[in-house]
Amino acid sequence: MILSDLKVWGDAEVERLAFERLDTINLAVSESRAYLAFPWTTLFKAMESNSSIELELAESLNQLKQKTKEYKNIATVCQHLGAFKYSRLFESVGVTHLFITDVNPRVINQKCRIEVHPFPHHDSFYAALNENRKNELSIFDQAKCVIDVVDRIHSDFGVDIFVPCGWTVDMPLSAIWSIIAKGFIPVLPTGQFFLPGNPKLWHAALYLVDSQQFKSEILYYSLFDIVKDKKKLDAKIQAIQQLNFAYGKELLVTDLLTFFVSPDDLRQRQQILTNSLRSLVDRGLPDKLVLIGFLSRLLIDYDTTYNETQHDGYLRESIISMLKKREFSEISQDIFNVVEPKGWFLR
């Protein structure tokens, strides 16, 4: 069921696209689940600028609120960067699953009762890919070096396949969607990414650079190795194609469909792990014991454990803090040595 009472979308481009994609799909009827289609970005901008359209949108939202009361689970999409400032508003209209774009997982409100999910952001990439040159951007030296290395690779081999992003405001992480849509391989600094889908698939598609141990020549020969090794290059291209299929503009709403077809309540299912681990942390058990429980689950079911922990701010920050201390027992160290090569990057 899609709940909407819209007269204007305004700047809410992502919200509009999500609504249009879902509207063309014959969704299974659910007595407990619904999608709330609303131009949150336009409303929030109106609230911040005292625009006259705020009253009209607020009235539409009040009308929708009467309908959301009939459902236990309400999903919605929001592209506004300050979405978490309005968490109480989302909760007041019954939203239980918030799909958002371009948000650093560290800024997620840890007290927010809403289940948070990443969502694709297909905004226009304002800088042409061929114009990302170090002498045209006011950026850090390390970012300039990365651009220089990528330029050298392209010049030496006559190919255009890599594009730096996520290094500075001139090359934002949000550009990743435009980059993979064009079939390029994003070159990013290692860090925390709030991206939809299987983290293993993203790890296969991206090229990650350790910004703490950056060396231009090492990066050059690493990219060189990918270009010259057809299997490695094909593997990344195939991963990018899979991401484009699942999250490109033509489909876009893959994870929203999962929300509707899941037979169990997503929030309850995902909280089974997080609540049990939270209890270990809250009881004040030694870090070594908590990590044994956490890493053991990570070893048995990597994808589920990783995704659930990413969506729980309190648990994620606690685990990160413990991992940084490196106070491992022998068995915990053994598990960590197995898990680390899989791409665990919450540290």
Side-chain angles (χ1 to χ4, degrees):
M1 173 64 71
I2 299 178
L3 307 178
S4 64
D5 178 27
L6 303 173
K7 298 179 177 65
V8 60
W9 282 104
D11 296 327
E13 180 67 12
V14 174
E15 288 100 318
R16 180 185 65 80
L17 279 174
F19 167 68
E20 290 178 351
R21 296 299 179 269
L22 281 178
D23 197 38
T24 62
I25 299 171
N26 186 20
L27 293 174
V29 177
S30 172
E31 296 181 356
S32 63
R33 296 175 181 275
Y35 178 74
L36 177 58
F38 191 79
W40 298 105
T41 297
T42 304
L43 172 62
F44 297 157
K45 286 185 176 180
M47 293 169 63
E48 293 165 357
S49 62
N50 294 318
S51 171
S52 59
I53 199 176
E54 177 185 347
L55 293 177
E56 179 182 348
L57 292 174
E59 177 60 28
S60 293
L61 191 59
N62 283 332
Q63 295 294 325
L64 288 169
K65 184 177 180 180
Q66 303 306 313
K67 299 178 182 179
T68 61
K69 293 179 180 179
E70 302 175 12
Y71 298 91
K72 181 180 179 181
N73 296 282
I74 301 291
T76 195
V77 169
C78 179
Q79 73 179 77
H80 193 276
L81 291 176
F84 288 107
K85 293 191 301 183
Y86 303 98
S87 59
R88 290 186 178 180
L89 179 58
F90 287 120
E91 292 179 9
S92 71
V93 296
V95 172
T96 58
H97 293 71
L98 176 61
F99 290 78
I100 53 175
T101 63
D102 306 331
V103 175
N104 186 318
R106 286 185 176 277
V107 305
I108 294 177
N109 186 344
Q110 297 179 11
K111 297 181 180 179
C112 182
R113 291 177 292 179
I114 299 175
E115 189 73 34
V116 180
H117 306 268
F119 195 79
H121 187 180
H122 291 279
D123 199 1
S124 57
F125 190 9
Y126 55 84
L129 299 180
N130 290 333
E131 294 176 0
N132 276 342
R133 295 294 182 262
K134 61 183 182 301
N135 59 344
E136 296 176 2
L137 300 174
S138 176
I139 56 180
F140 301 116
D141 290 341
Q142 191 174 76
K144 292 180 180 179
C145 290
V146 171
I147 296 174
D148 181 63
V149 170
V150 169
D151 286 347
R152 286 171 55 198
I153 288 289
H154 292 170
S155 176
D156 291 348
F157 295 96
V159 297
D160 287 320
I161 190 65
F162 300 105
V163 178
C165 75
W167 292 89
T168 67
V169 293
D170 299 287
M171 296 180 290
L173 180 60
S174 59
I176 194 172
W177 295 107
S178 296
I179 293 171
I180 66 171
K182 295 177 183 292
F184 293 99
I185 300 172
V187 179
L188 292 83
T190 54
Q192 294 186 0
F193 309 120
F194 199 51
L195 298 167
N198 191 325
K200 290 183 179 179
L201 184 58
W202 279 105
H203 191 71
L206 306 177
Y207 184 87
L208 300 174
V209 180
D210 187 345
S211 57
Q212 301 299 316
Q213 300 179 359
F214 175 80
K215 291 184 179 181
S216 296
E217 288 306 306
I218 292 178
L219 176 59
Y220 177 86
Y221 286 109
S222 295
L223 298 182
F224 168 91
D225 185 50
I226 293 175
V227 173
K228 299 299 291 184
D229 190 323
K230 188 176 185 303
K231 288 185 177 181
K232 291 182 179 180
L233 184 58
D234 286 348
K236 288 203 171 293
I237 297 301
Q238 289 172 9
I240 288 173
Q241 290 174 342
Q242 291 181 53
L243 289 169
N244 280 327
F245 176 79
Y247 299 105
K249 277 190 175 182
E250 294 302 316
L251 183 56
L252 188 71
V253 292
T254 297
D255 290 357
L256 277 174
L257 295 179
T258 301
F259 165 79
F260 279 102
V261 301
S262 177
D264 302 314
D265 183 272
L266 290 181
R267 181 176 178 81
Q268 290 180 355
R269 187 178 65 191
Q270 291 180 337
Q271 291 303 310
I272 292 175
L273 165 69
T274 53
N275 285 341
S276 61
L277 288 176
R278 269 174 173 262
S279 67
L280 297 181
V281 175
D282 292 339
R283 284 162 54 189
L285 294 181
D287 291 353
K288 295 179 181 180
L289 297 181
V290 176
L291 285 174
I292 287 177
F294 173 73
L295 291 173
S296 297
R297 176 63 185 270
L298 199 66
L299 182 64
I300 296 171
D301 188 353
Y302 179 87
D303 292 341
T304 301
T305 307
Y306 176 86
N307 289 327
E308 291 177 358
T309 307
Q310 280 282 47
H311 294 153
D312 187 288
Y314 171 76
L315 179 59
R316 183 181 59 252
E317 294 304 318
S318 298
I319 294 297
I320 290 173
S321 176
M322 294 177 189
L323 288 173
K324 286 182 176 178
K325 293 177 184 177
R326 295 285 185 168
E327 295 180 356
F328 297 140
S329 64
E330 183 177 351
I331 187 172
S332 186
Q333 180 65 63
D334 289 341
I335 296 172
F336 186 80
N337 289 339
V338 174
V339 170
E340 176 64 10
K342 292 185 177 182
W344 176 257
F345 28 79
L346 282 188
R347 293 176 300 145

